[in-house]
Amino acid sequence: MRILKYITITFLLATVFISCGGGSDSEPTPVDPIAPVVLDPAAAGLVFPEDNTECNEGVVNANDETKSTVTFQWSASENTDSYEVKVKNLETGSITTAISATNQKEISINRGTPYEWYVISLANGTSSTATSETWTFYNQGQGIENYAPFPAVAISPQRGATISSANTTITLEWSTSDVDDDIVSYEVLFDTAETPITSLGETTESSIEVTITAGTTYYWKVITKDSFDNTSNSELFEFRVE
């Protein structure tokens, strides 16, 4: 009986040693902390310069009277760390880009010139962005009593669109506005050449019907005229017929 007791005690000690972790040298796997959730930024609301108006609050540059500095303003958007302001000269097509950590930015632009602008909201930790509406305005110029209309914008077909070859005619449609609200007519240039020269004549409507042919790319632009014979030329639009 003494021999059996000794064997039993030895077995129990060996069991206790193994159960205490003596059989493994590996470290426990660390648990990563929960990564913070990055929310996508929201779109900002534009405030100033107002849409389809004349901006007359700019400060004329002392060393260049052809330019003035305008303070662009917008409402702060949620989940946003910074903003990218885009200001496009509608006469030349050139775009000025500025970055701001607040909801306003001073930018120097040409006087007596039409512009459009919008704001892109950015957030750290994500590539997602949000874009505001696009507004147009005229930056006030010295001695200007009547402003030319804003350049027309294509509504249909949109730039780069492909039209079904089943159609033999389509309607070109555009939109525009004028600070003085005195637009009197539109002239449409429509051609298969990249620089359209064929005029479809003048119209008081903001649309016109044209005949199209399958397998052809068409180019068009709109010249807008006001009651003072001021004109504005739209950008070049194009579409393809299947």
Side-chain angles (χ1 to χ4, degrees):
M1 293 299 292
R2 291 179 180 177
I3 296 174
L4 291 175
K5 288 180 180 179
Y6 178 79
I7 294 173
T8 301
I9 293 171
T10 301
F11 175 76
L12 290 173
L13 289 174
T15 302
V16 171
F17 177 77
I18 293 172
S19 65
C20 289
S24 175
D25 295 330
S26 61
E27 295 292 333
T29 302
V31 178
D32 293 333
I34 299 176
V37 176
V38 178
L39 300 177
D40 291 342
L46 304 185
V47 175
F48 183 85
E50 297 179 4
D51 194 23
N52 295 329
T53 61
E54 175 194 8
C55 171
N56 55 12
E57 295 186 18
V59 178
V60 177
N61 295 359
N63 57 350
D64 186 356
E65 293 187 354
T66 66
K67 295 179 177 293
S68 63
T69 298
V70 175
T71 302
F72 290 78
Q73 302 172 8
W74 56 93
S75 62
S77 56
E78 295 182 346
N79 312 318
T80 301
D81 296 302
S82 61
Y83 303 90
E84 187 174 272
V85 188
K86 299 281 190 179
V87 183
K88 182 178 181 179
N89 183 322
L90 293 178
E91 290 183 348
T92 65
S94 62
I95 298 176
T96 298
T97 300
I99 301 295
S100 177
T102 67
N103 61 326
Q104 64 179 35
K105 184 68 176 180
E106 291 185 348
I107 302 175
S108 179
I109 56 177
N110 294 341
R111 300 173 66 192
T113 303
Y115 286 91
E116 69 177 23
W117 73 290
Y118 60 93
V119 174
I120 302 173
S121 301
L122 309 172
N124 298 333
T126 177
S127 59
S128 296
T129 62
T131 303
S132 71
E133 295 181 329
T134 298
W135 282 5
T136 57
F137 69 96
Y138 253 99
N139 191 28
Q140 187 184 48
Q142 184 176 7
I144 297 179
E145 297 181 358
N146 182 275
Y147 286 88
F150 291 107
V153 177
I155 295 179
S156 178
Q158 293 186 352
R159 176 181 291 169
T162 298
I163 306 301
S164 171
S165 59
N167 299 322
T168 57
T169 62
I170 64 166
T171 299
L172 304 180
E173 184 180 358
W174 60 91
S175 68
T176 188
S177 58
D178 183 82
V179 171
D180 309 300
D181 196 24
D182 63 345
I183 294 174
V184 295
S185 66
Y186 307 95
E187 181 181 7
V188 180
L189 303 181
F190 181 72
D191 215 324
T192 56
E194 292 189 20
T195 304
I197 59 175
T198 302
S199 174
L200 300 182
E202 292 191 359
T203 177
T204 58
E205 303 296 326
S206 56
S207 64
I208 193 169
E209 188 174 88
V210 295
T211 301
I212 56 176
T213 304
T216 306
T217 299
Y218 291 95
Y219 302 88
W220 62 291
K221 63 189 306 181
V222 179
I223 302 172
T224 307
K225 181 188 295 184
D226 69 11
S227 61
F228 283 77
D229 285 335
N230 295 316
T231 61
S232 65
N233 295 329
S234 74
E235 295 181 310
L236 182 65
F237 312 126
E238 82 282 347
F239 64 91
R240 182 180 181 278
V241 184
E242 292 181 333

